[in-house]
Amino acid sequence: MSTAGKSGACGIMLEEDPEQAYENVLAEIQSFELPIEATLRSVYDDQPNAHKKFMEKLEACIRNHDKEIEKMCNFHHQGFVDAITELLKVRADAEKLKVQVTDTNRRFQDAGKEVIVQTEDIIRCRIQQRNITTVVEKLQLCLPVLEMYSKLKEQMSMKRYYSALKTMEQLENVYFPRVSQYRFCQLMIDTLPKLREDIKEISMSDLKDFLESIRKHSDKIGETAMKQAQQQKSFSVALQKQNNVRFGKNMHVNNDRILEEKNDIVLKHVLEEEAENEEEVLTVQDLVDFSPVYRCLHIYSALGDEETFENYYRKQRKKQARLVLQPQSSVHETVDGYRRYFTQIVGFFVVEDHILHVTQGLVTRAYTDELWNMALSKIIAVLRAHSSYCTDPDLVLELKNLIVVFADTLQGYGFPVNRLFDLLFEIRDQYNETLLKKWAGIFRDIFEEDNYSPIPIGSEEEYKVVISKFPFQDPELEKQSFPKKFPMSQSVPLIYIQVKEFIYASLKFSESLHRSSTEIDDMLRKSTNLLLTRILSSCLLNLIRKPHIGLTELVQIIINTTHLEQACKYLEDFITNITNISQETVHTTRLYGLSTFKDARHAAEGEIYTKLNQKIDEFVQLADYDWTLAESDGRASGYLMDLINFLRSIFQVFTHLPTKANTNDYAAMSGKVAQTACMSACQHLSTSLMQMLLDSELKQISMGAVQQFNLDVIQCELFASSEPVPGFQGDTLQLAFIDLRQLLDLFMVWDWSTYLADYGQPASKYLRVNPHTALTLLEKMKDTSKKNNIFAQFRKNDRDRQKLIETVVKQLRGLVTGMSQHM
């Protein structure tokens, strides 16, 4: 029951039986139950004077308890006295026992001193043993650490840096944690960062040495790589050439024999080189020790700084690439300069390709492609700039061969080289230009050394030698006995041979360009056309225009060009034999020999006409007429007779032009040239004589001078009528002098009435006489008559003649004035 409950109960009990209630309160207090506040409160709160009554009851209770204590003490007092008595009795015994115990203790202590000493020794030994065991255990724990650290030092001394890094990792991850509480461990831990830095510096130094080494030896690496690529390709190319030649054997025999002999020599040379190079093939690993790169890569990878190494390597290699790609200023002067330039570049990219394939991530395909594209642009720019200085076709050809080997080598390593072959087409045009310049000099030398006379043949051997050089066919000439002559001069077979040599030289550049036979055929024909149309044509035209080339030489040049024109079909067969491309192919380019040599012939013909007229002018300039001559001596002028004799001899030269039955075209050509030259000479002579009469510096002409001039014109007409060149119809050639003839006839017969009466009529006897010409000449004669006027007054005929002249002059002036008004 709770305190409140108890309080309530007590309250009720006090109201019913106060005495019993106080007894109950006392009982509760004596029971020592706490708290008793509620019990005491019930005593004071229930009834008036309850406190007093309670105190009375409490005192009565205390008295009862005192009585009970007294009774109990009285009951136990005798026992207490007995106990004290007993204690007093044993006091003496206790004293004795204490003395005995003390004595025993003393004796026991004395006896235990030695035991204590021995025990302490045992304890000390046990402690030492425990310490030794602990030391052994700790040493066993430390020894592997020390051994590994010693191993690390040894690896460092032996420059096994990657292994040293792995040892450091083991020390840090496995061994050091076991002995981390020891000071020496901390000292070791403190040395590891410095060791790592030392390893990085040493490996980087090795890498720098490696980079410097490969920079110096790049040309050797590239030379070996290019040599291997060239050896792999040369044999198959030589075989292909030989097969191509043998396939086209049914073409021109001589051409095929020469080409086949050349290719057999090439094949033999290649086989000899293959035999000499059967030694062990060196690779890039044989030439370069890549271990510094591998070590440095592994070291930086182990240090977790691989990106730094990759960036440094790529940066340094890019710098080296720029140095390699920068050529020397004299690279274009010799082929060795180009070879050194190419071998260094090949060596650089061979190393990069090797690094790409044997390392993971140091260089990537994207990085090498970027580097190659940058290098390719620089290479092309360099080649374009420096190749333009090359004027020697042999140097350009060697440069082309180097570029091909360079491209094939790098293509074998997976680098795209199409732009290089595109560049070769640009260089091919330059090569053709250098060839054209070279052959221009060759042609000039041949023309300078030619004697421009038919080739004399004294024996069968000499005849075969010429035939082997030039495809000449003439059954009539073959039937003739020795000695005999070829119609062309010695320059013709030499020119033909040099054209073939030019084709060979052009073919050399077209080889190994990875082009089809059709494209090569087209290139050969186009370059040959350039040789014919630009160089040979120009050389011929320059030759024709040279002052020392006379009419005889010009005639021989016409003959030569005709034979060269016919030989063009053999040149086409020669090209077909090389390329195996039929001439019937739709897109096959034809040689322009027909137009080239035709233009040269026309130029030679025109030069013949020009030189012939110049020669006529030279003779005419020798004329020394006495324009005041009273009467002619009846003989033609000496200069004119010399001129006519010269013309006769010149026109006889045209008989050297071919006129055989199988050369009808030549015969027609020679007849046409001779006729045109003869007509041109007569017309020019007629014009020169007319200009001599009408010269403004000539102020007077006597009748005797006119008679002398008439005699000269008669000689010209006789020359024209003598048919100096066959083929003229009727009096065609004499018509060249018709203007002079009619003018002189008019003055010789003094038929002015007929001239004036029939002027302007189609059937006029003097239709070719111009009034202005007649007036000019008549005025010159009038002036002469005036000077002789003092004698004319004594001769009636002379007076009448003078009056007639004056009358005619007036009428002619009227005609001239009328003509000018109608114009």
Side-chain angles (χ1 to χ4, degrees):
M1 180 181 291
S2 64
T3 305
K6 289 181 178 180
S7 175
C10 290
I12 294 173
M13 291 176 66
L14 288 175
E15 290 178 356
E16 293 179 355
D17 189 1
E19 294 294 332
Q20 184 64 37
Y22 291 142
E23 291 292 335
N24 291 335
V25 171
L26 292 173
E28 288 182 7
I29 292 173
Q30 294 179 35
S31 66
F32 298 101
E33 292 183 3
L34 295 176
I36 62 174
E37 292 87 351
T39 303
L40 294 175
R41 192 180 296 117
S42 65
V43 173
Y44 292 98
D45 294 341
D46 289 342
Q47 293 179 3
N49 299 318
H51 177 266
K52 185 177 179 182
K53 293 178 179 180
F54 176 74
M55 289 302 295
E56 291 177 354
K57 284 290 184 183
L58 181 60
E59 289 178 355
C61 184
I62 291 171
R63 285 192 296 272
N64 288 333
H65 281 297
D66 288 338
K67 290 178 178 179
E68 289 179 359
I69 292 171
E70 186 177 354
K71 288 180 179 179
M72 185 171 290
C73 289
N74 290 329
F75 177 78
H76 290 291
H77 179 264
Q78 187 60 43
F80 177 73
V81 172
D82 293 338
I84 292 300
T85 302
E86 288 293 328
L87 284 174
L88 291 174
K89 291 180 178 179
V90 299
R91 180 174 181 180
D93 296 333
E95 288 293 336
K96 293 179 180 179
L97 179 62
K98 180 180 179 182
V99 172
Q100 292 177 355
V101 170
T102 303
D103 182 60
T104 302
N105 180 58
R106 180 183 56 75
R107 288 187 284 107
F108 183 77
Q109 289 294 333
D110 293 340
K113 286 181 179 180
E114 186 177 352
V115 175
I116 291 172
V117 172
Q118 293 179 354
T119 302
E120 288 177 353
D121 291 340
I122 292 173
I123 291 172
R124 188 168 55 254
C125 291
R126 293 284 177 87
I127 292 173
Q128 291 177 349
Q129 185 178 10
R130 186 175 64 248
N131 291 340
I132 291 172
T133 303
T134 303
V135 169
V136 170
E137 291 176 356
K138 297 302 181 181
L139 286 176
Q140 288 177 345
L141 188 64
C142 294
L143 277 177
V145 178
L146 296 173
E147 289 175 355
M148 289 297 291
Y149 193 79
S150 175
K151 180 180 178 182
L152 172 63
K153 290 295 185 179
E154 182 181 357
Q155 289 170 341
M156 290 291 293
S157 63
M158 295 177 65
K159 298 183 179 181
R160 296 169 55 192
Y161 300 117
Y162 182 73
S163 300
L165 289 174
K166 291 299 181 182
T167 302
M168 289 183 196
E169 289 183 5
Q170 290 181 340
L171 284 170
E172 289 178 326
N173 298 329
V174 179
Y175 294 97
F176 283 164
R178 299 176 184 174
V179 293
S180 58
Q181 67 274 22
Y182 300 112
R183 188 176 61 172
F184 78 89
C185 176
Q186 188 60 44
L187 293 175
M188 290 181 179
I189 292 173
D190 293 340
T191 61
L192 294 187
K194 186 178 184 304
L195 290 176
R196 285 194 172 94
E197 288 300 321
D198 292 343
I199 290 174
K200 286 179 67 174
E201 292 177 2
I202 293 171
S203 61
M204 185 59 69
S205 176
D206 291 344
L207 176 65
K208 291 178 180 178
D209 294 341
F210 167 79
L211 293 175
E212 181 65 21
S213 175
I214 60 173
R215 187 185 69 81
K216 293 180 179 179
H217 296 90
S218 290
D219 53 348
K220 180 63 176 178
I221 300 170
E223 181 181 357
T224 302
M226 291 175 68
K227 185 177 180 181
Q228 292 172 1
Q230 192 173 13
Q231 289 174 356
Q232 292 172 1
K233 189 175 181 180
S234 58
F235 185 71
S236 59
V237 170
L239 283 179
Q240 183 179 3
K241 283 184 180 180
Q242 190 182 48
N243 292 335
N244 289 341
V245 171
R246 289 174 179 171
F247 181 76
K249 236 176 183 182
N250 56 348
M251 304 305 292
H252 196 274
V253 176
N254 291 329
N255 297 339
D256 183 74
R257 176 173 53 80
I258 296 171
L259 186 61
E260 187 172 357
E261 287 176 356
K262 287 192 173 185
N263 283 277
D264 285 340
I265 294 172
V266 172
L267 179 60
K268 181 179 179 181
H269 180 66
V270 171
L271 290 173
E272 290 175 353
E273 286 187 350
E274 290 288 335
E276 292 175 359
N277 293 291
E278 286 182 352
E279 58 187 19
E280 183 181 357
V281 179
L282 296 176
T283 63
V284 66
Q285 296 93 327
D286 299 324
L287 299 172
V288 181
D289 180 15
F290 288 93
S291 58
V293 180
Y294 305 149
R295 285 197 303 269
C296 200
L297 176 60
H298 292 158
I299 287 169
Y300 273 78
S301 299
L303 293 173
D305 203 9
E306 185 177 1
E307 184 177 356
T308 300
F309 172 72
E310 292 175 1
N311 293 335
Y312 176 81
Y313 177 84
R314 295 181 184 182
K315 181 179 179 181
Q316 293 301 315
R317 289 297 279 166
K318 283 185 178 179
K319 288 182 180 179
Q320 290 186 347
R322 293 188 182 95
L323 291 175
V324 167
L325 295 172
Q326 187 63 36
Q328 297 180 356
S329 58
S330 60
V331 66
H332 64 278
E333 296 178 356
T334 62
V335 69
D336 290 335
Y338 284 112
R339 182 179 290 108
R340 192 179 305 109
Y341 179 64
F342 286 133
T343 53
Q344 288 179 348
I345 296 173
V346 171
F348 178 88
F349 283 99
V350 166
V351 170
E352 289 304 289
D353 181 77
H354 180 77
I355 294 294
L356 173 67
H357 288 89
V358 300
T359 61
Q360 295 181 352
L362 180 55
V363 296
T364 62
R365 176 56 67 183
Y367 161 78
T368 55
D369 289 344
E370 177 187 358
L371 203 59
W372 170 243
N373 290 330
M374 181 269 290
L376 194 57
S377 299
K378 180 65 176 178
I379 292 167
I380 291 174
V382 168
L383 291 177
R384 279 177 178 160
H386 288 271
S387 62
S388 61
Y389 297 109
C390 296
T391 57
D392 183 5
D394 295 333
L395 179 58
V396 178
L397 181 61
E398 291 185 9
L399 173 60
K400 167 259 173 182
N401 293 332
L402 280 176
I403 295 175
V404 170
V405 176
F406 173 76
D408 289 342
T409 303
L410 289 176
Q411 190 175 36
Y413 286 92
F415 295 99
V417 294
N418 292 334
R419 291 173 61 190
L420 283 174
F421 285 102
D422 294 338
L423 174 66
L424 283 174
F425 277 90
E426 298 178 20
I427 298 178
R428 182 200 63 187
D429 297 335
Q430 179 186 347
Y431 174 72
N432 285 338
E433 288 298 323
T434 58
L435 282 183
L436 293 175
K437 291 179 181 179
K438 178 180 179 180
W439 257 257
I442 293 174
F443 289 155
R444 284 194 297 268
D445 293 341
I446 291 174
F447 289 140
E448 288 293 334
E449 296 172 1
D450 194 5
N451 57 9
Y452 298 99
S453 300
I455 302 175
I457 303 298
S459 64
E460 183 71 23
E461 289 74 16
E462 295 179 1
Y463 182 84
K464 290 180 180 180
V465 169
V466 177
I467 292 299
S468 66
K469 295 179 180 179
F470 184 76
F472 179 82
Q473 296 178 358
D474 188 352
E476 294 295 329
L477 182 63
E478 292 180 1
K479 294 177 183 178
Q480 295 177 15
S481 59
F482 295 99
K484 51 188 176 182
K485 294 182 179 181
F486 283 100
M488 65 279 188
S489 66
Q490 62 183 5
S491 65
V492 173
L494 295 178
I495 291 293
Y496 181 79
I497 291 174
Q498 287 303 321
V499 173
K500 288 171 62 177
E501 289 297 328
F502 176 86
I503 295 172
Y504 276 129
S506 183
L507 175 65
K508 289 179 181 178
F509 196 94
S510 302
E511 294 173 340
S512 305
L513 293 184
H514 306 297
R515 299 293 172 176
S516 64
S517 299
T518 304
E519 291 176 300
I520 294 176
D521 181 86
D522 184 65
M523 286 188 286
L524 289 179
R525 292 177 185 274
K526 286 181 177 179
S527 59
T528 306
N529 278 330
L530 285 176
L531 179 71
L532 296 176
T533 57
R534 277 179 50 187
I535 304 305
L536 184 55
S537 175
S538 176
C539 289
L540 283 171
L541 293 177
N542 292 334
L543 172 67
I544 290 168
R545 296 190 182 102
K546 286 187 175 181
H548 70 275
I549 297 297
L551 295 172
T552 305
E553 288 82 358
L554 289 171
V555 171
Q556 186 62 54
I557 289 172
I558 293 174
I559 298 172
N560 291 349
T561 55
T562 306
H563 286 285
L564 287 172
E565 178 184 333
Q566 259 204 348
C568 283
K569 66 178 182 178
Y570 295 101
L571 291 175
E572 289 190 340
D573 293 342
F574 179 72
I575 295 175
T576 301
N577 190 29
I578 293 175
T579 61
N580 293 326
I581 300 299
S582 174
Q583 298 181 36
E584 284 72 26
T585 305
V586 177
H587 301 291
T588 301
T589 304
R590 300 296 178 183
L591 295 184
Y592 300 148
L594 181 63
S595 61
T596 299
F597 297 116
K598 185 179 291 185
D599 293 342
R601 278 199 304 276
H602 289 166
E605 293 169 7
E607 194 68 19
I608 287 175
Y609 309 148
T610 301
K611 286 185 179 295
L612 193 57
N613 293 340
Q614 290 175 351
K615 199 67 177 178
I616 291 173
D617 291 339
E618 292 176 5
F619 279 100
V620 171
Q621 288 176 1
L622 298 176
D624 187 17
Y625 285 103
D626 183 4
W627 298 109
T628 61
L629 185 66
E631 186 176 358
S632 172
D633 60 0
R635 292 181 299 177
S637 301
Y639 86 91
L640 187 68
M641 298 306 298
D642 293 339
L643 172 59
I644 290 174
N645 291 332
F646 167 75
L647 291 176
R648 290 185 189 279
S649 63
I650 285 298
F651 292 131
Q652 287 179 358
V653 173
F654 287 94
T655 59
H656 293 290
L657 292 172
T659 56
K660 299 298 180 183
N662 63 336
T663 57
N664 292 328
D665 293 338
Y666 294 171
M669 180 274 297
S670 64
K672 182 180 178 181
V673 172
Q675 291 171 12
T676 305
C678 188
M679 176 59 75
S680 174
C682 291
Q683 289 176 344
H684 185 73
L685 177 58
S686 175
T687 302
S688 298
L689 292 174
M690 181 68 77
Q691 290 176 350
M692 190 184 301
L693 282 176
L694 303 179
D695 188 3
S696 60
E697 296 182 359
L698 179 61
K699 303 300 182 180
Q700 59 181 4
I701 300 177
S702 66
M703 194 61 193
V706 172
Q707 292 172 354
Q708 182 63 44
F709 202 83
N710 183 57
L711 289 175
D712 292 343
V713 173
I714 291 173
Q715 290 298 323
C716 294
E717 290 172 331
L718 290 174
F719 169 74
S721 63
S722 66
E723 198 176 9
V725 174
F728 287 108
Q729 295 180 356
D731 56 353
T732 301
L733 193 57
Q734 291 92 311
L735 291 177
F737 301 97
I738 189 65
D739 291 354
L740 272 175
R741 173 46 49 213
Q742 290 185 8
L743 180 63
L744 291 174
D745 284 349
L746 177 61
F747 278 86
M748 291 297 296
V749 299
W750 211 249
D751 194 8
W752 291 104
S753 59
T754 302
Y755 173 74
L756 295 172
D758 296 341
Y759 178 75
Q761 299 298 323
S764 174
K765 179 180 179 181
Y766 303 104
L767 181 64
R768 306 287 295 182
V769 179
N770 185 284
H772 185 274
T773 303
L775 176 61
T776 302
L777 185 58
L778 191 59
E779 286 181 338
K780 295 178 185 294
M781 296 185 69
K782 177 183 175 183
D783 293 339
T784 305
S785 298
K786 286 183 179 179
K787 290 183 178 181
N788 297 329
N789 190 34
I790 187 171
F791 301 104
Q793 61 182 345
F794 300 106
R795 294 192 294 271
K796 183 178 183 298
N797 292 336
D798 291 336
R799 291 198 304 272
D800 295 339
R801 187 182 185 89
Q802 185 65 30
K803 291 180 181 179
L804 178 60
I805 290 174
E806 292 177 355
T807 302
V808 173
V809 167
K810 292 179 181 179
Q811 292 177 349
L812 288 175
R813 285 176 178 169
L815 289 176
V816 172
T817 303
M819 289 175 60
S820 62
Q821 291 176 353
H822 288 294
M823 290 178 63

